[in-house]
Amino acid sequence: MEIILPILVFILSYFIGSNSLKSFFSVKFIPVLFLVFLFLSFFAMFGEQRSNLSVGISRLTEFNDTSSNKFVYEMDEEEKLSPFERSSNIAQVSAVVGLTESNGFYKGLASSPLIAAFIPRVFWPEKPAIALGVWFAVEIGAATETEDWYNNSINMTIPGNLFLDFGWVGLLIGCFLIGVFIKLLWNASGFYDNKFNLLGTFLGVYLLFTGFLGIGADLQILITYLAIYLVLFIFNIFFKRTNENTLYRADLARK
C-alpha cells in the first residue's frame, strides 16, 4: 500500500486538476503508467515472498536477492495473487469462520488487548504492543515468531473481528455502533464550518481517506480514530485564537 497509494493519489489529483480525461493520454502521464506496470509486474512475487523478508531498507536488498533465485519463478499458481485478488477479504473472513468453528466465539477475548490502549504508558512502562493482526496470523498458523517480532500480520477486517468475538448479533450491533461513532467524529470535525479549521481539515480528510480504503484492518482503527481526534482537538485549542486573529486581520484588510 505504501507503494501504490502515492501513485493513486497522484492520478486522482492529476485528473481533478486537469478536469479532463484527455490528460490521461498525454505524454506527461507515461511515467505514471510505467510505475503502475512495474508495480503489477512484481506484485505476485512480492506477495508470495513478503513473509520471508525483513522490514525497512533491508527488505529491498533481500527481495532483490530472492528474485534472482530460480525457485521464485516456480511458485504454485494458486499462490500468485494479483492486486485485485489481494484486495479481497474472502481469505480473512474464511479464516475467521474457521476459527469460530474450531474454537467457538471468543466472547471478547480477541479484542480485549485494546483495553490496554487506554492505560498510559507512564503508568505501565512495559505495556506490550497491541497487534491484533499478528495475533490473528499466529492463531490461524500463518505467522511464526522471529528474533525481533513476528514475520507476518493479517487483518481480520472489522466485520471479521466482531464476528469472531460476538457472532452475528455482535456483528450487526457493532457495525451500527461503529457507524454512529464515525458520524460523531465527522460532526465534531466541523469540516465545512469555517476557513482555517485545523481540526476539520485534518480529521475530515483522514476520515474520508480511511473510509475509501475500507475503514480499517480491525477494531484497532477505533483507538486510532480516537487518538487522532484528541491530538487534533488539543492542537485546535492552541491555534484557534491565532486563526481568529488571522480572519479578523483579513477582514480589516478587505475593508
Side-chain angles (χ1 to χ4, degrees):
M1 294 305 296
E2 285 80 2
I3 297 174
I4 199 170
L5 275 180
I7 298 176
L8 291 177
V9 170
F10 178 82
I11 293 174
L12 290 175
S13 59
Y14 189 74
F15 168 70
I16 294 173
S18 61
N19 198 26
S20 174
L21 288 174
K22 294 180 180 179
S23 57
F24 287 108
F25 302 97
S26 66
V27 178
K28 297 178 182 179
F29 204 68
I30 292 178
V32 178
L33 294 176
F34 174 76
L35 289 174
V36 172
F37 173 78
L38 185 65
F39 177 80
L40 295 176
S41 65
F42 75 82
F43 184 90
M45 180 166 54
F46 179 76
E48 192 270 341
Q49 291 294 323
R50 74 185 183 99
S51 61
N52 301 322
L53 305 176
S54 59
V55 296
I57 299 299
S58 58
R59 168 170 282 192
L60 297 176
T61 304
E62 292 183 14
F63 178 70
N64 182 60
D65 296 338
T66 305
S67 62
S68 62
N69 294 338
K70 183 172 65 175
F71 76 89
V72 173
Y73 299 98
E74 297 175 353
M75 292 185 298
D76 191 331
E77 289 297 324
E78 294 182 356
E79 295 179 347
K80 294 182 179 180
L81 297 176
S82 69
F84 299 102
E85 292 171 320
R86 187 79 187 179
S87 63
S88 172
N89 292 323
I90 294 177
Q92 289 93 317
V93 174
S94 298
V96 166
V97 174
L99 284 180
T100 60
E101 289 179 348
S102 58
N103 301 336
F105 296 114
Y106 282 62
K107 301 179 180 179
L109 292 177
S111 305
S112 58
L114 295 177
I115 300 175
F118 297 97
I119 305 176
R121 193 169 289 277
V122 66
F123 300 121
W124 188 4
E126 287 95 27
K127 183 170 73 172
I130 301 173
L132 299 185
V134 171
W135 171 84
F136 181 61
V138 173
E139 196 77 354
I140 63 177
T144 56
E145 188 173 4
T146 62
E147 294 182 2
D148 301 325
W149 187 233
Y150 292 85
N151 71 334
N152 201 5
S153 176
I154 300 176
N155 62 307
M156 285 181 276
T157 73
I158 288 180
N161 198 165
L162 291 170
F163 181 77
L164 185 65
D165 264 337
F166 309 110
W168 288 109
V169 175
L171 173 63
L172 295 175
I173 297 176
C175 285
F176 172 77
L177 293 177
I178 290 171
V180 172
F181 176 66
I182 294 176
K183 181 181 179 181
L184 291 175
L185 286 179
W186 175 261
N187 292 339
S189 71
F191 191 71
Y192 299 105
D193 284 356
N194 54 62
K195 297 178 181 178
F196 301 104
N197 183 359
L198 181 70
L199 178 64
T201 300
F202 283 92
L203 183 61
V205 170
Y206 179 70
L207 290 173
L208 290 171
F209 178 75
T210 54
F212 280 114
L213 291 180
I215 303 299
D218 46 52
L219 292 179
Q220 280 184 221
I221 189 66
L222 302 182
I223 306 298
T224 305
Y225 277 152
L226 184 59
I228 289 178
Y229 170 75
L230 292 176
V231 170
L232 291 176
F233 180 77
I234 294 173
F235 270 103
N236 193 58
I237 292 176
F238 286 106
F239 285 98
K240 186 176 182 179
R241 186 64 182 173
T242 303
N243 293 340
E244 291 175 351
N245 292 335
T246 301
L247 289 173
Y248 177 73
R249 288 194 298 269
D251 289 336
L252 288 179
R254 283 195 295 268
K255 292 178 181 179

